[in-house]
Amino acid sequence: MHILLITPTSVSVELQNNDSYYTDSFEVILNGKSLGMREKNSFSLYDLEPDHSYTLQALTKGGIKELSFRTLNRREKVYRSPKEGGTEDDTAGLQQAVNSLAKDEYLTISGVYKATALFLRDDLILHLPKGSRLIGETDRTVFPVLRADEEKNGIVLGTWEGRADDSFASLITGIGVKNVCIYGEGIIDCNAQSGDWWVDHRTKRIARRPKGIFLHTCEKIALEGITVCNTPSWNQHPFYSKDLKYINMNLLNPADSPTTDGLDPESCDNVLIAGVRISVGDDCIAVKSGKIDFARKYHTPSSHITIRNCLMEYGHGGVTLGSENSGGIQDVSVTNCIFRQTDRGLRIKSQRGRGNLAVIQNIAFRNIRMDDVKAPFVINAFYKAGNDEYDNRFERTYREPNDLTPVFKEFKFQDIICENVSYGVGFFLGLPESMLEKVTLQNITVSYKPDAAPGEMAMTAWKEEFKHVGFVCENVTELKLEQVQFKNPPSQKYILKNITTLTEHQ
């Protein structure tokens, strides 16, 4: 058991075991007083006293776990306003409260308030307690615009799907700030369903849609406990930022809301995502590093991304790498998670044109449980998004490699249970001129959904459909299967083309 985060009035703790998200019920005792039972590996305790010492015990199946901590020494400043209720815009009042906060204070927002875009500042602790709510404005004409022709800290300010573009500021926006914590049991409701954000969503009207929380070139940011929902586009978008923590949050959007990813770190370093529940209208977590212009200008991969004890539900992918990955993606670890009713589980997507800086390497997924995931493992170098025009990026024949050719290194999937699979277990499609170097699956258990319908394992130009297949593999240098067990037989175990080496051990 170890501490993830301490604030003036809360602590977040994580059990260390091999369970996925949930564990056997255990009792939590704080300074000798029982706080009842818990069942999640990662949990938070609230309503603590600032600058106070505590001893925490967890009575688990493995014995008594104990640790001591002291909450942060900050004085509370409470924000209340005549505009409480969420019907009138209170952006100015809220922003003034943030800006005027002393360094030895933390700000508690008490009540329900409506706002457009709040800008963070250095050394800020913002507390959203249970019952508090920030509600997003829906009139796009009153939003600030982050411009594509302006830079902050050497990085373009306005961005959209891996390119420079004018975009609206988000309900919570951080630009170049450090040492910020937003925590509590409150709700940030961007209220997109009440406006036209999801209508004709690919059309740019004034600027691109805002995110829920946007962090631009920020450092040492912690988000804990809060629920962020109904976001116009991506729920969380950290951009060229580092040393980030996302702890025990709820990121929620309707399943039919368009391109509302959960958490998309783009060209970020040292990101911890622990105990987060995500249920959205697109990929739950999508690690990105921009398209080719960003890669050539900034040379910044996404790196050292750790995802643990998370629950992903109903999205297009559980954990996705790409497709905007021109800067490269490296050192990604996903462990102790549950994927439930996502279209795909562990999903890597790229295409020609991403560039030879788009090196994807040192990617490891371990101890995952998937239930009703249609296609658990997908690596697709011919990814075709819905708005992509058909061109030579999607020609299946060999093309001479050049500086626009992406590179695919080693991928390892280990200790994973896949129940109620519909389409197939693994879809691994490299480029003929840039094959997937090595794909290893170890200790994988598979069962198929009896009443499954056929469908696309990956988004390609050919829209091939499958049902109950094992592995569809093309342009792979080495495919290694160790202890891959099928509880019921696949309709076809292998569909292979241009595989240099296939090894299988039971």
Side-chain angles (χ1 to χ4, degrees), residues 114-275:
K114 186 177 184 180
T116 51
L118 296 177
F119 289 84
L120 304 174
R121 44 155 278 199
D122 288 351
D123 303 309
L124 171 68
I125 298 181
L126 181 61
H127 178 213
L128 296 172
K130 182 181 290 188
S132 66
R133 183 185 294 256
L134 295 178
I135 299 177
E137 175 61 73
T138 58
D139 179 3
R140 67 180 64 223
T141 65
V142 301
F143 274 75
V145 174
L146 308 179
R147 295 181 56 84
D149 59 1
E150 185 177 354
E151 290 188 352
K152 295 291 185 181
N153 301 314
I155 304 293
V156 64
L157 187 58
T159 176
W160 182 255
E161 295 185 347
R163 290 194 175 104
D165 204 345
D166 292 345
S167 57
F168 291 114
S170 301
L171 181 51
I172 302 293
T173 299
I175 300 175
V177 299
K178 300 178 181 180
N179 302 317
V180 172
C181 176
I182 304 174
Y183 79 99
E185 298 176 277
I187 297 173
I188 297 175
D189 183 352
C190 295
N191 198 28
Q193 76 283 358
S194 299
D196 63 354
W197 298 116
W198 297 336
V199 178
D200 194 17
H201 65 281
R202 295 197 183 278
T203 299
K204 179 180 175 181
R205 299 195 291 275
I206 304 175
R208 296 297 183 180
R209 292 173 287 150
K211 287 83 173 180
I213 297 179
F214 177 58
L215 302 175
H216 180 288
T217 58
C218 295
E219 296 182 31
K220 297 182 180 178
I221 311 295
L223 304 173
E224 184 265 346
I226 58 175
T227 295
V228 184
C229 60
N230 299 316
T231 57
S233 62
W234 299 346
N235 195 300
Q236 304 290 309
H237 185 203
F239 182 71
Y240 290 85
S241 296
K242 61 183 179 180
D243 301 329
L244 311 176
K245 290 183 178 182
Y246 295 85
I247 308 296
N248 297 343
M249 301 174 68
N250 296 292
L251 309 180
L252 309 175
N253 287 321
D256 60 352
S257 55
T259 60
T260 56
D261 295 22
L263 203 169
D264 290 13
E266 182 172 358
S267 295
C268 292
D269 181 60
N270 192 25
V271 181
L272 173 63
I273 305 167

Side-chain angles (χ1 to χ4, degrees), residues 15 17 23-26 58-65:
L15 298 182
N17 54 38
T23 189
D24 291 347
S25 294
F26 59 95
L59 278 58
T60 72
K61 61 181 179 181
I64 299 175
K65 314 297 182 183

Side-chain angles (χ1 to χ4, degrees), residues 326-355:
S326 292
I329 298 173
Q330 59 194 30
D331 302 317
V332 177
S333 171
V334 184
T335 57
N336 293 30
C337 292
I338 294 177
F339 299 168
R340 183 181 293 155
Q341 292 185 294
T342 59
D343 293 340
R344 297 156 192 95
L346 305 165
R347 182 187 192 193
I348 298 163
K349 50 187 183 179
S350 188
Q351 59 182 219
R352 290 185 177 115
R354 290 298 188 243

